[in-house]
């Protein structure tokens, strides 16, 4: 590919792969071919044995363009490459428990497949051509990493075969662990991928939250000169995907915000997956909990369930990206249909995208073919076209592809024409087109980031943390975060309003949008996660205050009852710190030492009877023993098991 023209590997050297390190980024690399007798067939998989037979089938079926949407080319011999990605469910059996007993329940995770597909049309071959796909399978939605990586591993596989998968896997296994929300330099042979990873607050929760997430979850605005990703697919092309229906972006934002089901139909897999990714990116920094499928086929196991939904039954909150117009009939109960993109032109050259919000040049495989940007004012002909589209319904796409939306939903959010007026019209050359796309995407992304952030702002009091007051004891339980009640929240919001930014951009029924948001699939996962982050941040602040507290000065200000209460709180905090010491590392060790010293200091000023009572508990007595590295407290003797060395109370 033109972006990495000098990339090469030494095939005579056997690569060394660290499987555990590889799993931090990639589950497997696969090569899949379309066999005339057997259909889609996994030809190579590295590492081997990663998937069951049924999983391989699902991966294989998802890794080829639908037959209806395949690039048609009348030339005698040509090659057509395209890049797209999909998202499927993977059901994993849980590992053995501590007693070695197998857990019969399954865990479900989403698996992302990033595809480099090559179709070679040649009349000399059987049935006029062949096609293969190279696929990167990962649990991570790191499109900014895997798309450029596909530009290397795809062509390399067609050059040297399965050795390409092994060598690329070796390079990836040497990468450092992913750092969400950070810029990373990832070496791959003689090239380096410089990538921005999505922030932790936009990623699915895997295990416990990290302190890094607490720092990034507020999604602050940043200087114009330094764009920072605030959610998933921050490199997607919003402008290119929806340029034919830009006025409807606010409707789409609202539909995704409240979790309405949508069918996104486009002529090619790159166009439909790009549109779905762009749509998901619109609601950043909100955690998107809607089940989105960038490229969905009838072979997905979920299709049978969706196809059986009867008229009148609720459609699950999903965003389905498809290329096969068959879905217009099969999923006729889905309430919102969005048609985007342009059919590929018949050409004797490789169709290349000029999409560029990721910094990729025009040398990457086919994606979006831009049309002229149309932001014309109202005209009778445009009204007539809109009426005709509504009358004909989405089934008109069976005969001719058009960019349009079919939905009976009435949006609360008004389109911001001042934003549309700032967008730059298309250029005459790929380079100008690419620069235009960068600018337009930045304008749109910043606007919707601001819109979403302001929409979520009324919830901020429920995430407000507190710190100990100046001169007060940090050895008390921190106050709980404010409790949340949906009805009380709506009543309060109705009285005080959502703020000038939202009032200016929404109709008078804005409270209904908040009510729909509270009842939709996005609110509760986002709210619970933000609460967990806030609680974690509050815990960090109070731990920090305890580390800075001079225990002797604090004791001098406390009453006897407060001293006893402080002893109980410190003991509980110390036990919790000891339990978490394996997870928190050096900071936890330092905190434990500080708490032990403070516990002994308070113990020293208790009455002898109280000390005797405390030491009657063996576990507590062990906590009061000084660790070898603990310094002697000034003016206070170290505690012994015998209580005679303690001081009397004040």
């Amino acid at each position: 590919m033109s972006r990495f023209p000098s990339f090469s590997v030494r095939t005579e050297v056997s690569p060394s792969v660290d499987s555990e390190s590889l799993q931090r980024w990639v589950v497997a690399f696969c090569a899949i071919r379309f066999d005339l007798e057997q259909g889609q067939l996994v030809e190579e998989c590295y590492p081997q044995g990663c998937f069951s037979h049924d999983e391989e089938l699902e991966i294989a079926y998802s890794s080829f363009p639908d037959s209806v949407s395949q690039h048609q080319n009348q030339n005698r011999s040509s090659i057509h490459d395209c890049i797209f990605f999909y998202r499927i469910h993977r059901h994993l059996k849980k590992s053995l428990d501590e007693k070695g007993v197998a857990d019969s329940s399954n865990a479900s995770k989403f698996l992302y497949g990033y595809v480099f597909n090559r179709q070679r049309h040649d009349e000399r071959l059987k049935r006029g051509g062949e096609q293969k796909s190279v696929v990167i399978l990962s649990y991570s939605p790191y499109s900014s990493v895997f798309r450029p990586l596909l530009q290397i591993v795809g062509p390399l596989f067609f050059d040297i075969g399965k050795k390409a998968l092994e060598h690329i896997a070796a390079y990836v296994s040497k990468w450092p662990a992913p750092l969400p929300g950070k810029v990373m330099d990832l070496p791959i042979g003689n090239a380096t991928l410089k990538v921005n990873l999505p922030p932790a607050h936009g990623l699915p929760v895997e295990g416990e939250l990290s302190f890094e997430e607490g720092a990034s979850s507020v999604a602050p605005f940043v200087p114009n000169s330094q764009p920072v990703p605030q959610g998933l697919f921050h490199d997607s092309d919003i402008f290119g995907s929806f340029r034919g229906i830009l006025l409807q972006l606010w409707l789409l934002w609202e539909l995704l915000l409240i979790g309405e089901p949508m069918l996104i139909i486009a002529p090619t897999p790159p166009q439909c997956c790009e549109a779905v990714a762009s749509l998901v990116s619109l609601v950043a920094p909100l955690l998107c909990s809607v089940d989105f499928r960038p490229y969905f086929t009838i072979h997905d196991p979920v299709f049978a369930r969706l196809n059986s939904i009867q008229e009148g039954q609720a459609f699950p909150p999903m965003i389905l990206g498809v290329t096969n117009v068959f879905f217009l009939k099969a999923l006729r109960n889905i309430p919102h249909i969005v048609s985007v993109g342009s059919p590929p032109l018949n050409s004797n050259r490789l169709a290349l995208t000029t999409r560029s919000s990721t910094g990729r040049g025009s040398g990457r495989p086919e994606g979006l073919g831009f049309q002229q940007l149309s932001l014309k004012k109202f005209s009778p002909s445009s009204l007539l076209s809109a009426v005709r589209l509504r009358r004909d319904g989405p089934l008109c796409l069976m005969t001719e592809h058009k960019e349009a939306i079919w939905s009976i939903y009435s949006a609360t959010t008004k389109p911001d024409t001042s934003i549309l007026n700032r967008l730059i019209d298309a250029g005459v050359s790929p380079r100008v087109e690419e620069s235009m796309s960068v600018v337009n995407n930045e304008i749109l992304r910043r606007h919707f980031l601001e819109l979403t952030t302001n929409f979520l702002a009324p919830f901020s009091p429920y995430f407000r943390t507190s710190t100990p007051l100046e001169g007060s004891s940090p050895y008390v339980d921190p106050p709980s975060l404010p409790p949340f009640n949906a009805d009380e929240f709506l009543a309060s919001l109705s009285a005080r309003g959502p703020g000038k930014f939202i009032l200016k951009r929404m109709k008078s029924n804005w409270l209904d949008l908040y009510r729909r948001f509270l009842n939709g699939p996005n609110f509760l996962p986002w709210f619970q996660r933000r609460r967990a982050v806030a609680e974690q941040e509050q815990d960090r602040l109070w731990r920090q205050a305890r580390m800075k507290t001079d225990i002797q000065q604090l004791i001098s200000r406390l009453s006897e009852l407060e001293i006893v209460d402080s002893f109980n709180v410190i003991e509980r905090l110390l036990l919790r710190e000891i339990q978490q010491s394996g997870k928190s590392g050096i900071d936890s060790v330092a905190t434990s030492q500080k708490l032990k010293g403070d516990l002994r200091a308070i113990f020293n000023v208790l009455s002898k009877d109280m000390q005797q009572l405390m030491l009657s508990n063996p576990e507590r007595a062990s906590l009061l023993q000084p660790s070898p590295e603990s310094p002697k407290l000034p003016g206070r003797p170290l505690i012994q098991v015998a209580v005679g060395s303690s001081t009397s109370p004040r």
Side-chain angles (χ1 to χ4, degrees):
M1 306 301 294
S2 62
R3 191 179 176 193
F4 306 102
S6 60
F7 184 84
S8 62
V9 297
R10 296 176 59 190
T11 55
E12 71 277 5
V13 177
S14 180
S16 173
V17 179
D18 183 337
S19 299
E20 187 174 338
S21 297
L22 179 65
Q23 292 292 312
R24 298 182 303 195
W25 292 92
V26 171
V27 176
F29 294 86
C30 292
I32 307 169
R33 65 184 172 88
F34 186 84
D35 187 271
L36 295 178
E37 281 74 35
Q38 303 179 57
Q40 293 90 331
L41 189 67
V42 175
E43 195 172 51
E44 303 288 348
C45 186
Y46 188 87
Q48 295 181 352
C50 292
F51 304 107
S52 66
H53 176 69
D54 288 343
E55 287 175 330
E56 285 192 352
L57 280 178
E58 186 174 358
I59 290 169
Y61 280 127
S62 301
S63 298
F64 287 93
D66 190 284
S67 58
V68 176
S69 66
Q70 288 185 27
H71 180 79
Q72 301 298 320
N73 198 304
Q74 304 301 321
N75 297 317
R76 178 179 176 81
S77 179
S78 65
I79 293 177
H80 177 74
D81 294 342
C82 71
I83 284 177
F84 59 94
F85 75 104
Y86 55 84
R87 182 177 187 251
I88 57 177
H89 255 132
R90 189 185 188 193
H91 299 282
L92 300 170
K93 289 186 177 180
K94 293 184 178 178
S95 56
L96 300 181
D97 62 18
E98 295 178 355
K99 298 180 180 179
V101 179
D103 190 337
S104 58
S105 61
N106 288 340
S108 178
K109 298 178 75 173
F110 279 107
L111 187 68
Y112 293 83
Y114 300 87
V115 182
F116 181 100
N117 173 259
R118 172 165 290 182
Q119 299 181 31
R120 186 160 72 95
H121 301 270
D122 194 330
E123 294 178 0
R124 295 167 295 183
L125 298 175
K126 191 174 182 180
R127 293 189 65 176
E130 65 175 5
Q131 62 171 318
K132 286 186 178 182
S133 289
V134 178
V135 188
I136 303 173
L137 283 308
S138 174
Y139 292 127
S140 302
Y142 297 155
S143 57
S144 59
V145 176
F146 297 122
R147 278 177 165 168
L149 186 60
L150 278 175
Q151 292 181 249
I152 296 175
V153 67
L156 191 63
F157 173 81
F158 288 106
D159 185 24
I160 65 173
K162 67 177 183 180
K163 288 183 179 179
L165 308 183
E166 300 172 10
H167 282 273
I168 297 299
Y171 289 126
V172 173
S173 72
K174 293 177 174 60
W175 289 353
L179 297 174
K182 305 293 184 182
V183 177
M184 299 189 71
D185 290 322
L186 305 175
I188 188 88
N190 59 345
T192 298
L193 305 181
K194 192 176 188 68
V195 299
N196 261 335
L197 294 189
H201 66 260
L203 298 172
V205 178
E206 296 289 346
E208 296 185 1
L209 300 177
S210 64
F211 282 119
E212 287 76 12
E213 175 163 354
S216 69
S217 59
V218 180
F221 291 109
V222 295
N224 290 329
S225 59
Q226 188 183 6
V228 174
Q230 300 292 351
L232 287 184
F233 310 122
H234 55 273
D235 57 340
S236 60
D237 186 9
I238 301 173
F239 174 73
S241 296
F242 299 106
R243 65 184 305 164
I245 50 173
L246 285 173
L247 204 61
Q248 305 299 330
L249 277 178
W250 288 263
L251 167 64
L252 295 175
W253 171 82
E254 197 168 308
L255 291 174
L256 182 57
L257 187 76
I258 63 178
E260 282 288 305
M262 281 183 272
L263 183 70
I264 312 293
I265 187 165
T268 67
Q271 292 181 72
C272 81
C273 79
E274 189 73 7
V276 172
S278 297
L279 187 56
V280 170
S281 76
L282 279 184
V283 295
L286 177 70
L287 173 67
C288 180
S289 296
V290 174
D291 182 0
F292 61 90
R293 305 301 181 95
Y295 177 56
F296 187 75
T297 73
I298 60 173
H299 301 290
D300 192 301
V302 176
F303 172 69
R305 177 167 59 88
L306 298 179
N307 193 35
S308 64
I309 295 176
Q310 301 298 315
E311 188 171 353
Q313 291 181 323
F315 206 93
M318 299 183 75
I319 304 173
L320 304 177
V322 303
T323 60
N324 193 337
V325 292
F326 163 76
F327 284 104
L328 296 171
K329 291 183 176 180
L331 303 181
R332 60 172 58 91
N333 291 323
I334 198 165
H336 315 285
I337 296 175
V338 184
S339 174
V340 296
S342 305
L345 300 175
N346 291 336
S347 172
N348 60 0
R349 62 184 178 88
L350 179 64
L352 299 174
T353 184
T354 55
R355 204 189 82 234
S356 61
S357 60
T358 61
R360 290 188 287 273
S362 60
R364 68 180 289 281
E366 181 265 327
L368 293 168
F370 289 125
Q371 298 175 346
Q372 291 293 313
L373 172 61
S374 177
L375 296 176
K376 295 177 181 178
K377 296 181 179 180
F378 167 81
S379 67
S381 60
S382 63
L383 175 62
L384 185 61
S385 298
V387 171
R388 188 179 296 117
L389 275 175
R390 181 176 292 274
R391 182 197 64 198
D392 295 343
L395 289 180
C396 69
L397 298 174
M398 303 285 287
T399 55
E400 181 185 4
H401 186 81
K402 302 173 182 177
E403 294 181 279
I405 292 181
W406 288 269
S407 173
I408 61 171
Y409 180 85
S410 179
T412 300
T413 313
K414 296 177 286 188
D416 193 327
T417 53
S418 66
I419 295 297
L420 295 178
N421 289 335
R422 289 172 57 193
L423 300 180
I424 305 170
D425 208 343
V428 295
S429 69
R431 180 170 297 180
V432 174
E433 180 97 21
E434 184 175 341
S435 300
M436 171 208 68
S437 183
V438 171
V439 173
N440 288 344
N441 279 317
E442 183 65 17
I443 291 171
L444 292 171
R445 201 172 302 284
R446 283 186 170 274
H447 169 74
F448 282 100
L449 173 63
E450 189 177 14
L451 179 61
T452 308
T453 303
N454 276 276
F455 179 82
L456 298 176
F459 296 98
S460 59
Y462 299 97
F463 314 130
R464 192 167 293 151
T465 58
S466 64
T467 56
L469 297 175
E470 186 72 27
S472 66
S473 172
Y475 293 118
V476 296
D477 292 321
S480 300
L481 298 179
F484 181 81
N485 178 279
D487 292 335
E488 292 176 1
F489 168 79
L490 290 172
S492 173
L493 187 62
S494 176
R496 71 178 189 272
K500 292 181 179 179
F501 187 93
I502 294 298
L503 286 175
K504 180 181 177 182
R505 289 163 176 81
M506 292 189 179
K507 300 174 183 176
S508 58
N509 62 336
W510 54 265
L511 193 64
D512 290 338
L513 181 58
Y514 277 95
R515 186 176 289 107
R516 290 191 180 101
F517 175 62
L518 291 174
N519 294 327
N522 287 320
F523 169 70
L524 197 56
W526 168 78
F527 184 83
Q528 290 176 337
R529 189 157 176 181
R530 286 288 289 113
R531 289 277 282 196
V533 168
E535 289 167 353
Q536 184 187 62
E537 175 65 9
Q538 179 159 279
D539 181 67
R540 185 189 68 81
L541 293 171
W542 281 72
R543 289 171 86 243
Q544 190 177 63
R546 292 167 191 140
M547 291 294 289
K548 295 179 178 179
T549 296
D550 185 322
I551 191 63
Q552 298 298 338
Q553 289 186 8
L554 179 63
I555 289 174
S556 68
R557 298 194 300 267
L558 297 180
S559 67
E560 188 170 355
L561 181 60
E562 289 173 331
I563 288 175
V564 174
D565 289 341
S566 296
F567 182 94
N568 292 328
V569 172
I570 295 174
E571 181 185 30
R572 187 171 69 251
L573 293 170
L574 179 56
L575 288 172
R576 188 180 71 178
E577 205 68 42
I578 292 172
Q579 291 173 350
Q580 296 179 347
S581 60
K583 302 175 183 177
S584 304
I586 297 175
D587 288 344
S588 184
V589 173
T591 303
S592 296
Q593 291 177 352
K594 176 67 164 60
L595 290 173
K596 280 185 178 181
D598 291 353
L599 190 68
R600 288 195 301 273
I602 289 184
F603 181 89
N604 281 344
V605 300
L606 296 175
S607 67
K608 290 183 179 181
D609 291 342
M610 183 63 73
Q611 288 181 351
Q612 187 67 51
L613 180 63
M614 295 294 184
L615 291 174
S616 64
N617 183 320
E619 184 179 13
R620 182 179 293 133
S622 67
L623 292 177
L624 290 167
Q625 291 299 325
S627 55
E629 66 275 12
S630 297
K632 205 169 189 179
L633 291 172
R636 301 286 184 184
L638 295 177
I639 298 303
Q640 306 297 325
V641 175
V643 299
S645 61
S646 61
T647 61
S648 59
R650 292 177 298 140

